[in-house]
Amino acid sequence: MPDPSENVSRRTTLRLLTGAAAAAATTAPAATAAASTTAAAASTPPATARAAAPPSTGGHVDALIARLTLDEKLTLLHGAQEPRGTGQAGWVPGVPRLGIPPLRLADGPAGVRVRARATALPAPVMLASAFDPALARAYGRTIGHEGRALGQDVLLSPMVNLIRTPYAGRNFETFSEDPLLTSDLVAEEIRGIQDEGLIATVKHFALNNQEKDRTSVDVRIGEQALHETELRGFEAAVAAGTGAVMGAYNKVDGVHACENRALLTGVLRDTWGFDGWVMSDWDATHSTVPSLTAGLDMEMPAGRWYGDALRRAVRDGTLPEAAVDRSVRRLLTVMGRFGLLDGTAPARPAARDRDAGARLAYRVAVAGATLLRNEHATLPLTGPAARSLAVIGPTGTVPFASGGGSAHVVPDRADSPLDALTARAGDGARVTHALGEDLYGKPLPLHGTALDGQRVPAGKTSTYEGTLTLDAPDEWTFVVHYDGERPQVLVDGTELFARQDREAELFAGFGLVSTAPDGLKVRRRTLALPAGRHTVRVTAAGGAHGQLFRLRHTTPATRAADVAEAVRAARAAHSVVLFAYEDAAEGRDRATLALPGHQEALIHAVTAANPRTTVVLNTSSAVTMPWLERTGAVLQMYYPGQEGAAATAAVLFGDTDPGGRLTQTFPASDTRHPTAGDPRRYPGTGGVQEYSEGVHTGYRWYDAQGVEPLFPFGHGLSYTTFAFSGLTVTPAPDGGLTARFTVRNTGRRTGVTVPQLYAGPSPDLTLDQPAWALAGYRRVTLEPGQARRVTVPITARTLSSWDPARHGWVLGTGTRTVRLGTSAREVRLTARARVLPR
């Protein structure tokens, strides 16, 4: 297999990309083929009604620019402090004298993130698990409607970076490891968002596939791999009419993404024809003239580079004012397209439709619920299993709606799974709960003071001191809860909770383990303490509003007691539902694929006591499962949003079929995945990271290396069974193929299946190609005994490869093999067809 990294060493990505626009005219016709493969996507217009500017917009924008002063132009090109303080991520002042309104920009991968409550939708990775572009459009429409109702103009979403490494902290915010599935879903979500009049921002352009060193890492990737993998979702977003693009933090071939001319101009504008505006990620701008001339139109969230510095550059002749006008024109053109300049924008909804948001959240959570294992008919819970149930785990009682960072949403409500399961089990059922793993600690046994609910008045500072006596050396985890300024906690003079850097502090306060059930912020620190007396001293400031704090702890002894309680509950019940978690957030990557804390020991103990145990995973991404064979079932629920408890109960009790399929491969161990064992691939060495896997991302790498995953891409079980027959593949007029097959529900329950088509390589291309690549799919729901003939188009683009020599797409002609399967590894039927030159 050719090493794609050779391209990087022989000629740089920047030089290759710069030639892309010039080569576009000679590219094979496949270059303009649509990326969508499903009927739902194929029947959708190529852009929303707002994607094309009204005929009058251009003249109006030119007239405005002619009347704007330089200072007014600059206020449109960088963020500022929003005077109302509504909690959105950014604000751009308008120019009132010319009727140019301000822009409010809100985070929104899984719902609108402002201070006000909003519908907390399931994480995008759960939406993607439904393999349903039409559902992605409905998801976008819900966010678009709520964003407008909450006074926002721009949504900083969707995120479309591929899942490249299972350690990446934001895998839950994006869609998939596969370029085709990703491009289908992002296009439809953007259409949904913009259908409602909210401007979408696709992010992070490009190659922001990890949080580790994200502001400094220099990504190196071959031209072919770049276009066939990471860029495909962004291209689909542009084709769908996205109003804005957000530049990434990282560098690409030595140049920061937000001043990378090859990306921002060569690819985005010259090749794809993007006519919206490009903003930086927050504090991702690093220069003035180089950034603006490269194609970065707006600095966020403030004006370090595009304020006074840009003004000086224009006035001293370093930069022509026409360059500023170009960026202003891009912004105003989009605003005009959405009716923000002439008062033609639809009226904002008077209020959110909370009920409609909740229904959509439930629908997505059910559709994305992915059943990974189900032995001995453990699920659905029926008969004795439904009447005698032990619920174990902290997230059995604490709702886990969303991940941390910019994806965190304040929900209208979020019920606990225990309450939902108890209600669903009904009268006469016995449902018990055991904690199993304590996230928030137990009261501290101090002599001299009590610290389990201290209130400090506003304007006061209080100090508390006590002693802790240990009979033997022990490991203690101290847990502080607080709702104001973090208290200073000293143990034998050692400060436990010193402030971290700005980004770590910013994102550490959101998520499951960082927030107590009553909303207090939480921090932890583990110490190895010798036997004897230890002094604990706490200083807490009341600040302007006063504050409440608690100091708690866990030890090996408290953990053992929690596990023992869980084992007793498991033995006393017919069946067990054990909730396991992994708490991800923006700003940090995971260090391991194992479940955090002591959950693995808990699962081993509980499954030994009761093999009829279902493990429900509320995790951001793949986890390893050394305990898998001891379980009855495993249900992947990711971060399921505010209706996650009800959706989980519905799937566990069989009220609905688990409709999800994996959009990422689950590796068997930390040493057997595409970025394992090679620090150049992840996290990078010497500040440089090489995407040397080339086009073999995700499941393609497992095929190329012959590695067996824990669960393959596309995997997911149903409560019924399906049979597939009659696969035919024939040439299509557009240069692609058309696959047809019959699927029949052979079981006794209504169920969901997601047949997937994988195309083999072209014999006529000498370029590196995957052994198999997703070429099409269809989500199908059938009643018992029902059969359906299904047609799935395989586009010419999907059958094409990017040729670095031509800087364009070339159709992979010749006889192509197409597999029909229920995952990347579970093949049901095979057919062949000839792709003809065009």
Side-chain angles (χ1 to χ4, degrees):
M1 181 179 73
D3 184 358
S5 64
E6 293 178 5
N7 285 341
V8 177
S9 60
R10 285 201 296 263
R11 43 184 182 170
T12 66
T13 304
L14 275 176
R15 185 154 46 86
L16 289 170
L17 286 175
T18 304
T26 62
T27 302
T32 59
S36 179
T37 63
T38 67
S43 63
T44 302
T48 68
R50 302 184 183 279
S56 61
T57 298
H60 183 45
V61 167
D62 288 341
L64 285 173
I65 291 174
R67 298 175 62 192
L68 287 166
T69 67
L70 176 60
D71 285 349
E72 288 171 336
K73 293 172 185 176
L74 298 186
T75 65
L76 297 173
L77 298 186
H78 65 79
Q81 185 68 38
E82 203 269 325
R84 280 177 25 191
T86 55
Q88 75 272 354
W91 184 71
V92 177
V95 182
R97 75 177 184 89
L98 295 179
I100 301 174
L103 291 177
R104 292 178 173 83
L105 301 85
D107 287 318
V112 183
R113 181 174 177 252
V114 292
R115 287 201 184 96
R117 294 185 181 276
T119 300
L121 296 168
V125 71
M126 193 168 200
L127 165 69
S129 299
F131 278 70
D132 187 349
L135 186 60
R137 187 156 190 166
Y139 187 95
R141 293 200 71 148
T142 294
I143 297 176
H145 176 86
E146 295 208 354
R148 293 271 293 153
L150 290 167
Q152 303 303 303
D153 306 291
V154 181
L155 185 77
L156 304 175
S157 181
M159 177 177 172
V160 69
N161 302 103
L162 292 185
I163 297 175
R164 177 177 177 262
T165 175
Y167 300 120
R170 300 181 80 174
N171 281 348
F172 68 96
E173 285 189 57
T174 190
F175 296 112
S176 170
E177 69 187 22
D178 180 77
L180 173 64
L181 180 62
T182 297
S183 62
D184 286 350
L185 298 175
V186 70
E188 290 306 299
E189 184 178 342
I190 285 171
R191 290 179 178 121
I193 292 165
Q194 298 193 158
D195 282 345
E196 298 295 323
L198 193 67
I199 300 169
T201 307
V202 66
K203 63 184 186 184
H204 311 84
F205 192 62
L207 300 164
N208 185 178
N209 305 111
Q210 66 188 54
E211 296 300 280
K212 173 69 174 173
D213 301 325
R214 68 176 183 174
T215 62
S216 60
V217 68
D218 182 7
V219 178
R220 308 295 174 90
I221 185 172
E223 182 182 353
Q224 180 187 357
L226 176 64
H227 281 270
E228 291 188 22
T229 60
E230 175 79 355
L231 290 190
R232 190 163 180 184
F234 290 99
E235 184 181 7
V238 170
T242 187
V245 171
M246 181 187 290
Y249 283 115
N250 52 281
K251 298 175 184 175
V252 179
D253 204 27
V255 180
H256 281 287
C258 284
E259 58 185 47
N260 194 310
R261 178 186 292 274
L263 285 173
L264 301 184
T265 297
V267 172
L268 186 60
R269 297 193 183 278
D270 294 346
T271 302
W272 296 344
F274 176 63
D275 62 355
W277 89 90
V278 178
M279 72 181 75
S280 73
D281 205 337
W282 270 223
D283 297 313
T285 309
H286 296 274
S287 65
T288 301
V289 175
S291 294
L292 192 78
T293 56
L296 181 72
D297 303 305
M298 180 183 287
E299 176 192 2
M300 292 301 295
R304 175 186 177 188
W305 301 101
Y306 278 24
D308 290 341
L310 183 53
R311 181 183 299 104
R312 288 193 299 269
V314 172
R315 288 181 172 168
D316 67 17
T318 303
L319 184 77
E321 190 167 347
V324 172
D325 291 349
R326 180 183 61 185
S327 290
V328 172
R329 180 175 288 104
R330 291 166 176 167
L331 171 64
L332 293 181
T333 297
V334 177
M335 293 178 67
R337 179 187 310 166
F338 283 76
L340 298 177
L341 298 180
D342 58 6
T344 62
R348 293 187 185 275
R352 295 189 302 114
D353 189 337
R354 291 176 174 82
D355 292 340
R359 288 193 298 270
L360 191 280
Y362 175 83
R363 180 181 165 198
V364 173
V366 165
T370 306
L371 185 60
L372 301 179
R373 173 180 169 86
N374 192 20
E375 297 296 310
H376 311 299
T378 299
L379 295 180
L381 298 173
T382 59
R387 296 191 295 272
S388 174
L389 187 65
V391 177
I392 294 172
T395 47
T397 55
V398 179
F400 196 0
S402 61
S406 59
H408 184 77
V409 177
V410 182
D412 289 312
R413 68 171 192 278
D415 297 333
S416 79
L418 177 62
D419 289 344
L421 291 171
T422 301
R424 177 58 184 82
D427 295 340
R430 182 175 183 269
V431 180
T432 61
H433 176 256
L435 186 61
E437 173 91 349
D438 189 352
L439 297 181
Y440 307 111
K442 306 184 189 307
L444 202 64
L446 286 179
H447 298 291
T449 190
L451 298 175
D452 198 45
Q454 299 294 88
R455 292 192 177 275
V456 182
K460 302 291 185 180
T461 298
S462 300
T463 299
Y464 309 85
E465 187 168 305
T467 58
L468 179 69
T469 303
L470 274 64
D471 295 331
D474 206 352
E475 178 187 88
W476 278 59
T477 297
F478 293 88
V479 188
V480 64
H481 303 204
Y482 59 99
D483 64 359
E485 180 182 340
R486 184 156 66 242
Q488 181 188 64
V489 179
L490 303 177
V491 175
D492 297 334
T494 298
E495 185 173 356
L496 300 191
F497 306 107
R499 293 192 66 82
Q500 305 174 70
D501 62 77
R502 176 180 176 275
E503 186 168 270
E505 288 291 343
L506 179 64
F507 296 122
F510 300 102
L512 174 73
V513 301
S514 300
T515 308
D518 61 357
L520 270 64
K521 290 170 280 190
V522 176
R523 296 293 186 274
R524 296 166 184 76
R525 176 77 179 275
T526 299
L527 297 178
L529 297 178
R533 292 165 57 88
H534 301 276
T535 300
V536 178
R537 182 182 177 89
V538 180
T539 303
H545 305 289
Q547 82 155 312
L548 171 70
F549 79 90
R550 299 182 284 260
L551 186 62
R552 294 185 172 183
H553 80 295
T554 61
T555 66
T558 67
R559 288 194 293 272
D562 289 336
V563 171
E565 179 194 18
V567 167
R568 288 193 295 272
R571 285 177 176 156
H574 180 279
S575 297
V576 175
V577 177
L578 192 156
F579 286 84
Y581 73 90
E582 176 263 319
D583 191 25
E586 180 178 357
R588 66 174 187 259
D589 282 349
R590 302 157 67 189
T592 176
L593 300 184
L595 290 170
H598 300 82
Q599 294 181 95
E600 289 190 352
L602 173 65
I603 295 173
H604 279 293
V606 169
T607 52
N610 191 334
R612 295 180 298 277
T613 295
T614 296
V615 175
V616 177
L617 293 170
N618 292 131
T619 63
S620 68
S621 188
V623 295
T624 50
M625 305 180 196
W627 37 263
L628 179 66
E629 296 303 318
R630 304 179 67 165
T631 64
V634 177
L635 178 65
Q636 175 62 255
M637 289 299 293
Y638 297 105
Y639 301 152
Q642 68 179 48
E643 305 301 319
T648 301
V651 173
L652 291 175
F653 281 88
D655 301 335
T656 183
D657 205 40
R661 303 297 183 264
L662 290 181
T663 70
Q664 58 193 298
T665 308
F666 276 33
S669 74
D670 275 292
T671 63
R672 304 291 281 169
H673 59 78
T675 58
D678 187 348
R680 295 173 302 170
R681 287 189 182 178
Y682 176 84
T685 57
V688 176
Q689 183 179 41
E690 297 179 9
Y691 284 32
S692 55
E693 69 272 21
V695 299
H696 304 280
T697 55
Y699 62 90
R700 303 174 180 187
W701 178 88
Y702 289 85
D703 290 340
Q705 299 298 319
V707 172
E708 189 67 25
L710 181 64
F711 294 110
F713 173 90
H715 173 74
L717 304 177
S718 168
Y719 291 150
T720 188
T721 55
F722 296 91
F724 301 86
S725 61
L727 174 64
T728 63
V729 182
T730 56
D734 67 351
L737 299 171
T738 301
R740 296 179 176 86
F741 54 90
T742 298
V743 57
R744 181 184 298 277
N745 183 341
T746 56
R748 298 181 179 180
R749 303 173 61 100
T750 297
V752 176
T753 185
V754 182
Q756 303 149 42
L757 296 162
Y758 294 86
S762 163
D764 296 343
L765 294 181
T766 58
L767 298 165
D768 196 17
Q769 300 176 73
W772 300 100
L774 184 68
Y777 54 89
R778 178 64 56 79
R779 181 182 178 87
V780 180
T781 301
L782 296 174
E783 297 178 357
Q786 184 182 5
R788 183 176 303 161
R789 188 71 176 165
V790 177
T791 300
V792 178
I794 300 175
T795 67
R797 167 59 68 85
T798 298
L799 298 171
S800 299
S801 295
W802 183 271
D803 186 351
R806 299 179 63 181
H807 307 303
W809 294 97
V810 292
L811 185 62
T813 56
T815 300
R816 306 289 293 265
T817 301
V818 176
R819 288 178 171 177
L820 172 66
T822 51
S823 79
R825 289 294 178 94
E826 296 157 308
V827 180
R828 300 295 187 93
L829 300 169
T830 301
R832 291 175 178 82
R834 186 165 183 79
V835 177
L836 302 175
R838 295 200 298 173

